[in-house]
């Protein structure tokens, strides 16, 4: 048997390359990422042709390994350059992401060391790093020391954790679910509906509270809705406010809503996945006032902190609620029971998990907060600059951006505006130097501009304005001041 084991060992050892072999693997991969970064500023942001992605199917998993050079080439030909390039500063659609380089090195550290970040007993340093980051965010939000949180995979899972915490904290019983009422607006992110459904609350009543003309929840309408629900024997229990809606970038009136939640005994959840990190901007902070009164808050570091995809954060005012909703015992984990370090596994559906700490810790400590504040302020001003210039071109524009989203549409002399703007968007996509998306609000088709990539600067916005003007000319509409705007 020893002989057989030794034979197997000789083959299995290929899994542990030595220093020289590591370099042979690393060089082509690093070469690929370096080329990617060097070419990024001039590379298109959107490719209509996505046929390269099919190449992956021609390279199935087989018995023997392939050359790292070949694999790096495949990455280049089949993955990057296909569809959207979210790392590009030209990404002005949806809510743009980031991709700070030191975060990639943080992931590298996490993967090489494979620290166990689920339970403090196993990885006290790894867990404490995440807890430090959670404490920093809790302070930013204005939560007291009782607060706890979790670094999740993204905003959707962070919202799910908050909904489950709220359900347990408010003691929502299964038999009562059809009588319970949660409040939000038509602009509440759809991941909240998904979270309610996953949390067994699909039969609960969802009340879309009316909004004002800038898509913010109307506090008086909320009060009226709660009163009506109580009068009808229903059980109001959850209020979801948005600090930065995805569609319009609006911020619900957080402080007045918080007062109503308090008076009515509702769990107050603020989904600040998009807008939360604008707390770092002194000029915008007052707009977000009231977040500190929430019971739970979601922030998305892969949006407002420009980190690569794969990190969201949930913060809960009282850590006990978070823990009670998620901690369970297991006999085989008895050594870990007495915890000195608050364990992520007791605060999320995950047990073993990616150590997300270093991808956030490394950029924050390496750069310090100054460039983050500057970048967020810059994005806000770029959005206002764009709105002004777009209006100058003759576009009908939405509200002045509170954060960094602008809505706009062209109203042609004749014909259907929705069809016109759809065609305009199609032409912008086939250009591809900049990528924008659209939405439908009040039954109208709007183009959206969302500025949140750390790589988006004046040059990008000016380029996009030129693209708009030239597509309009192509479509027979002058970018001169438009009669509708007079
Ligand atoms: C992006 C976003 C989400 C969802 O977050 P993911 O990280 O994409 O899962 C939830 N709410 C708001 C307001 C968002 O902008």
């Amino acid at each position: 048997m020893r002989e057989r084991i030794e034979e197997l060992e000789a083959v299995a050892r290929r899994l542990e390359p030595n220093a020289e072999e590591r370099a042979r693997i690393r060089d082509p991969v690093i070469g690929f990422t370096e080329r990617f970064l060097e070419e990024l500023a001039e590379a298109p942001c959107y490719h209509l042709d996505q046929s390269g992605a099919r190449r992956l199917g021609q390279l199935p998993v087989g018995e023997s390994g392939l050359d790292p050079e070949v694999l790096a080439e495949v990455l280049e030909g089949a993955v990057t350059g296909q569809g959207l390039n979210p790392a590009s500063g030209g990404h002005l659609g949806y809510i743009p992401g980031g991709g700070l380089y030191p975060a990639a090195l943080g992931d590298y550290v996490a993967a090489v060391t494979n620290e166990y970040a689920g339970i403090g007993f196993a990885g006290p340093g790894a867990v404490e790093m995440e807890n430090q980051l959670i404490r920093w965010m809790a302070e930013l939000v204005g939560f007291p020391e009782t607060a706890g949180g979790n670094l999740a995979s993204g905003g959707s899972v962070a919202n799910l954790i908050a909904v489950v915490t709220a359900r347990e904290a408010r003691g929502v019983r299964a038999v009562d679910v059809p009588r319970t009422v949660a409040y939000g607006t038509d602009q509440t992110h759809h991941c909240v509906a998904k979270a309610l459904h996953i949390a067994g609350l699909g039969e609960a009543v969802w009340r879309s509270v009316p909004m004002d003309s800038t898509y913010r929840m109307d506090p008086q309408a909320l009060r009226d809705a709660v009163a009506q629900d109580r009068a009808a024997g229903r059980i109001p229990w959850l209020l979801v406010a948005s600090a930065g809606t995805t569609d319009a970038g609006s911020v619900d009136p957080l402080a007045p809503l918080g007062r109503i939640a308090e008076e009515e005994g509702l769990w107050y959840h603020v989904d600040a996945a998009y807008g939360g990190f604008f707390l770092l901007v002194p000029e915008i902070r007052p707009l977000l006032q009231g977040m500190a009164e929430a019971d739970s808050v979601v922030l998305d570091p892969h949006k407002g902190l420009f980190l690569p995809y794969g990190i969201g954060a949930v913060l809960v005012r009282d850590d006990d609620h978070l823990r009670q909703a998620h901690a369970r015992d297991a006999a085989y984990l008895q050594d870990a029971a007495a915890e000195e370090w608050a364990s992520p596994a007791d605060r999320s559906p995950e047990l073993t998990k990616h150590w997300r700490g270093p991808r956030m810790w490394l950029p924050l400590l390496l750069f310090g907060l100054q460039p983050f504040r500057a970048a967020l302020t810059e994005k806000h001003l770029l959005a206002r600059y764009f709105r002004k210039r777009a209006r100058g071109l003759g576009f009908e524009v939405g509200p002045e951006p509170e954060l960094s989203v602008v809505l706009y549409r062209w109203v042609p002399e004749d014909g259907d505006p929705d069809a016109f703007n759809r065609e305009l968007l199609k032409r912008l996509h086939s250009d591809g130097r900049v990528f924008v998306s659209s939405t439908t609000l009040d039954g109208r088709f709007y183009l959206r501009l969302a500025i949140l990539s750390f790589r988006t600067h004046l040059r990008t916005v000016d380029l996009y304005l030129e693209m708009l003007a030239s597509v309009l000319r192509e479509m027979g509409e002058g970018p001169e001041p438009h009669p509708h705007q007079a």
Side-chain angles (χ1 to χ4, degrees), residues 95 153-159 187-192 242-246 271-275 298 300 302-303 309-312:
I95 300 291
S153 55
S156 300
V157 171
N159 272 298
Q187 294 293 304
T188 304
H189 194 278
H190 70 278
C191 78
V192 173
S242 306
T245 60
T246 314
D271 179 5
Y274 159 46
V298 163
D300 236 353
H302 66 201
K303 291 178 180 162
Y309 294 137
I311 186 165

Side-chain angles (χ1 to χ4, degrees), residues 270-430:
V270 177
D271 179 5
Y274 159 46
F277 285 105
F278 281 95
L279 283 165
L280 288 167
V281 178
E283 296 90 321
I284 299 182
R285 214 182 147 85
L287 177 74
L288 300 167
Q289 203 214 335
M291 210 189 290
E293 311 314 320
D295 293 297
S296 53
V297 170
V298 163
L299 306 175
D300 236 353
H302 66 201
K303 291 178 180 162
L305 281 187
F306 320 123
L307 300 187
Y309 294 137
I311 186 165
V314 56
L315 305 166
V316 179
R317 162 180 295 278
D318 182 347
D319 184 52
D320 287 344
H321 287 313
L322 178 61
R323 198 176 176 286
Q324 277 153 17
H326 292 91
R328 294 295 177 271
D329 292 334
Y332 81 97
L333 294 176
Q334 60 191 9
D335 307 337
E339 64 166 354
E340 179 183 352
W341 310 99
S343 290
D346 291 335
R347 287 159 182 83
S348 119
E350 296 179 290
L351 174 56
T352 305
K353 67 178 205 84
H354 177 51
W355 180 28
R356 303 187 177 104
R359 61 188 351 254
M360 179 165 168
W361 183 84
L362 206 56
L364 279 175
L365 277 94
L366 185 77
F367 293 133
L369 286 178
Q370 270 177 9
F372 289 92
R373 276 190 222 286
L376 286 164
T377 314
E378 178 199 21
K379 305 318 151 201
H380 171 65
L381 292 178
L382 282 172
R384 289 175 47 182
Y385 167 81
F386 170 78
R387 179 177 177 275
K388 201 169 153 203
R389 293 281 312 270
R391 172 185 251 168
L393 284 176
F395 279 89
E396 178 187 303
V397 296
E400 177 87 275
E402 295 187 292
L403 302 172
S404 64
V405 172
V406 184
L407 297 167
Y408 53 103
R409 67 205 290 264
W410 188 266
V411 183
E413 293 278 0
D414 312 299
D416 174 15
D418 286 3
F420 185 92
N421 286 282
R422 226 173 256 123
E423 175 62 23
L424 181 61
L425 183 66
K426 211 172 113 190
R427 292 182 187 216
L428 292 166
H429 282 175
S430 70

Side-chain angles (χ1 to χ4, degrees), residues 22-107:
R22 284 199 296 276
R24 193 179 68 87
I25 300 166
R26 190 169 59 229
D27 291 349
V29 174
I30 297 293
F32 156 63
T33 55
E34 281 300 311
R35 273 193 305 286
F36 177 82
L37 290 172
E38 287 301 313
E39 291 165 9
L40 192 52
E42 302 307 324
C45 182
Y46 187 69
H47 298 261
L48 276 177
D49 175 25
Q50 311 184 351
S51 55
R54 283 186 211 106
R55 273 185 67 192
L56 287 166
Q58 295 154 13
L59 209 67
V61 176
E63 278 302 315
S64 9
L66 296 170
D67 191 76
E69 298 275 0
V70 171
L71 299 179
E73 255 170 54
V74 171
L75 287 173
E76 207 155 347
V79 183
T80 59
Q82 303 294 303
L84 177 63
N85 180 354
S88 161
H91 179 19
L92 309 177
Y94 315 116
I95 300 291
L100 291 178
Y101 186 68
L105 298 177
D107 274 348

